Amino acid sequence: MHTLPRDGLALSSLDEQLLPPGTKGLPITEPLRQGAIGVQGWNVLRGDTSFPVAVLKESALQHNLAWMKNFCERHGATLAPHGKTTMSPQLFGAQLANGAWGITLASATQVQVAHRFNVRRVLLANQLVARADIEAVLALLHDDPDFECFVLADSIEGVTRLSQAVQARGLARPLPVLVELGLPGKRAGCRTPQDALDVARAIAGADGLLLAGIEGYEGLLVSDDFDADVRAVNAFLAGLVDLVNSADAEGLFGSAEILLSAGGSAYFDLVARGFAGVEGLSRPVRAVLRSGCYLTSDHGSYKRLLSRLDAREAHGEGLRPALEVWSTVQSRPEPSLAILTMGKRDASYDIDLPVPLFMHRPGSDDKQPTALPPGCAIVKMNDQHAYLTLPEGEVREQVKVGDLVGCGISHPCTTFDKWQVLLAVDDAYTVTQALNTFF
C-alpha cells in the first residue's frame, strides 16, 4: 500500500525485498515482503511493532509537502531539497512529485544511491575531490546521457582535478560546476568574493567544465543573537547576488540558465526574498533552495527556528513535526524516573535530547495517546536507554512498566541515519508503509 506519490522513481525493488527478522522496529519472526507491511494492520499504540520504532506521520508529511510547494510558487523559487536529511528514495519521490526540481546531496555515494532509484537531476552541494568519487560521478554521467549532476568548486586546485578527470574520462558533455562562496571560520567555500571570481574564471576556462552558477550556505549563521543572524544572512545573500552579477558581466557562465543556490532549513524564506528579482543578466536566473528538514521538521531546534520563519512569513499554519520515536517503559527504578527502551542508537542527541510528548498504555480504550505534562524531560541517554524524569504529581503514578512513550526529536538528520526502515503511520498510528534509508 503506497500512500505517498512516487514521481516515477524505480522503487519496485524495495517493495519486493524480503525484510528479515531483526529489522529494527518490525515485529516479524520470519521474512516479510516489504510491500506487504501496509496490509498487516499493525498499530503502534496497540503495541504491534517492536520497540523502539521510528514513525513518520503521513498527514504531517503531506501538509509539509504542500506547504513548501506553495511557498516556492509564491516566491518564484525552485526547490532541490537536501536528500542527506532522509536518504529515503520513497521520500525523494514524494518531494519530486510535489514540484522539486531535483535532489541535493552531499557525497558521491549519495549521488549513486539517488541515481539507482532513477532520480534524474542532483546538485552535489559539496566539494568533489577524491579520485574515486570523481570517477564514480563521471561514470554515471557517461553511461546515462539523461542524468544531470551539478558539482561545486572553491579552489583552483579543485577545478584542475575536475577538469583533468573529465578529459581523462572522455565525457561527451561538459560538467556543470558552481562556485561556492563560504564564510570566514566556517566550512568549505571561497573566503572572499575575489577568490570566488578567480575560481569562476578558472571553471569557465577549463576544458570539460562549464560555469553553471554560484552557491553558498547561510545556515551556519546561527547564534543566540537572532537579529544579528538575520542581518548576517541578508548580507551573505547579497554577496552571492553580487558575485553572480560580476561573473555574468565577464561572460563566464556557460549554461542556458544561471543557478543561484542557498537555503538550509532555518532561513530559506530570507533566501527566497534575497534572490527574488535578480534579472537583467545574459540568461535567466534560477533561484534554488535546498532545505531538507522542512519535510519532517522537528520538535526541537528547527521548531524554534521555524517559529521565527512563521512570524516572518505570516501565511497560515507553518510546517508540522512529522517524525517521532516510540519506546517502552522498561523500568521504574525511582519515583521520579522511568527508563525507556530508546537511546543514542535510535534518536538524535547532537543538538538537543528527545522531547517526551505522549504516553499510551496498550490495551486501553484510548484511541489517541495522552499528552505528557510539562516538566517531563529526557535528561540523559545511553546507547539503548533513555532517562525520563517525571515531575511531582499524578504522572508518577500513571507511568507504568510496559507503557509506551512517544518522543519528538531535534535535528531529524541524525535520527534518520539510525534507521534502515521507518514506518509511515496515519493519525491513528496505524502503519501504512515502510520507508527505507541508505546511509
Side-chain angles (χ1 to χ4, degrees), residues 330-331 338-346 378 380-388:
Q330 68 174 24
S331 179
I339 302 298
L340 310 182
T341 59
M342 172 191 76
K344 293 180 179 179
R345 302 291 178 90
D346 311 303
I378 304 292
K380 180 181 177 181
M381 287 203 297
N382 303 139
D383 281 357
Q384 294 181 301
H385 297 82
Y387 296 63
L388 171 63

Side-chain angles (χ1 to χ4, degrees), residues 85-96:
T85 300
T86 69
M87 282 308 297
S88 173
Q90 293 98 333
L91 295 179
F92 292 174
Q95 290 170 308
L96 292 166

Side-chain angles (χ1 to χ4, degrees), residues 106-320:
S107 70
T109 53
Q110 292 178 4
V111 173
Q112 290 174 308
V113 169
H115 181 269
R116 185 196 318 169
F117 293 102
N118 203 38
V119 174
R120 297 285 79 203
R121 180 186 292 119
V122 302
L123 170 58
L124 177 51
N126 212 343
Q127 313 303 317
L128 186 60
V129 175
R131 176 177 55 82
D133 291 334
I134 297 174
E135 291 175 355
V137 171
L138 296 184
L140 297 178
L141 293 168
H142 178 273
D143 297 341
D144 186 350
D146 296 326
F147 178 62
E148 296 182 67
C149 181
F150 299 81
V151 304
L152 305 188
D154 70 351
S155 67
I156 303 299
E157 294 83 358
V159 172
T160 300
R161 292 176 73 86
L162 291 173
S163 177
Q164 290 174 345
V166 170
Q167 293 176 76
R169 181 66 181 177
L171 202 63
R173 49 183 164 143
L175 178 67
V177 185
L178 284 73
V179 175
E180 180 169 21
L181 182 65
L183 292 159
K186 302 297 183 181
R187 61 192 196 195
C190 299
R191 290 312 194 237
T192 69
Q194 184 58 55
D195 289 343
L197 195 56
D198 289 342
V199 173
R201 292 169 181 147
I203 295 168
D207 291 335
L209 308 182
L210 64 79
L211 181 64
I214 305 295
E215 179 272 349
Y217 177 57
E218 80 299 333
L220 299 171
L221 294 167
V222 177
S223 73
D224 294 331
D225 189 338
F226 172 68
D227 291 335
D229 292 346
V230 170
R231 290 193 296 270
V233 167
N234 286 330
F236 179 67
L237 298 173
L240 290 172
V241 172
D242 288 344
L243 189 54
V244 165
N245 286 318
S246 297
D248 190 62
E250 294 189 24
L252 301 180
F253 291 110
S255 51
E257 58 184 10
I258 299 168
L259 301 188
L260 178 55
S261 180
S265 297
Y267 302 115
F268 59 82
D269 63 317
L270 299 181
V271 175
R273 294 186 183 93
F275 289 172
V278 179
E279 54 189 20
L281 303 183
S282 64
R283 60 207 71 200
V285 175
R286 181 181 293 275
V288 180
L289 309 183
R290 303 197 306 271
S291 173
C293 295
Y294 83 91
L295 181 57
T296 65
S297 190
D298 71 12
H299 287 89
S301 58
Y302 284 112
K303 181 179 181 180
R304 293 190 295 271
L305 290 166
L306 291 172
S307 66
R308 293 167 175 169
L309 184 151
D310 291 341
R312 295 192 300 266
E313 191 67 12
H315 197 86
E317 181 187 2
L319 298 169
R320 300 176 187 170

Side-chain angles (χ1 to χ4, degrees), residues 350-367:
D350 55 320
I351 297 180
D352 302 303
L353 292 174
V355 181
L357 302 171
F358 309 113
M359 64 169 290
H360 186 78
R361 182 160 299 154
S364 72
D365 293 332
D366 297 331
K367 302 301 182 183

